[in-house]
Amino acid sequence: MFAEPEQSDSSARITLRAIYHGRVQGVGFRYRTARLAQQYPVTGYVKNLADGTVELVVQTQDRPVLEQFFDDMMLTFATNVTDVAVEEIGSEPHFQQFEIQH
């Protein structure tokens, strides 16, 4: 699902940003995402955006963990999400936990 990282440093953090489109606000999306994130060694945040989309920023050191997390996200929200745009972004800042931002 994701391109292989260019560097082979196993301690490097991988940070992905996803924007979810569809019926994603007012349906418990942020709460259920935070609950799902508790099952994985990930940090970051989820928040509603003014345009009706939801932003998810998730960080970990293990790419297969990210792939499984995003697969579970799609299974959880298959009926709500009409489109998702995912991009790898810089690993700063380092998040301490996963949280819902307001």
Side-chain angles (χ1 to χ4, degrees), residues 13-17 57-59 87-95:
R13 294 178 191 255
I14 304 157
T15 307
L16 297 180
R17 177 179 184 255
V57 174
V58 64
Q59 186 176 78
E87 66 178 332
E88 189 163 339
I89 61 174
S91 293
E92 294 294 330
H94 295 290
F95 301 103

Side-chain angles (χ1 to χ4, degrees), residues 6-68:
E6 292 179 14
Q7 55 190 110
S8 61
D9 181 4
S10 62
S11 66
R13 294 178 191 255
I14 304 157
T15 307
L16 297 180
R17 177 179 184 255
I19 302 294
Y20 289 88
H21 300 261
R23 189 167 166 240
V24 292
Q25 290 191 13
V27 294
F29 191 98
R30 291 177 302 157
Y31 174 76
R32 290 188 292 164
T33 298
R35 293 283 308 249
L36 182 62
Q38 291 174 352
Q39 299 174 29
Y40 290 91
V42 299
T43 58
Y45 66 86
V46 61
K47 72 176 180 179
N48 288 344
L49 299 180
D51 65 359
T53 60
V54 172
E55 176 185 44
L56 168 67
V57 174
V58 64
Q59 186 176 78
T60 189
Q61 294 179 332
D62 189 355
R63 189 166 294 273
V65 165
L66 280 179
E67 291 174 0
Q68 185 61 52

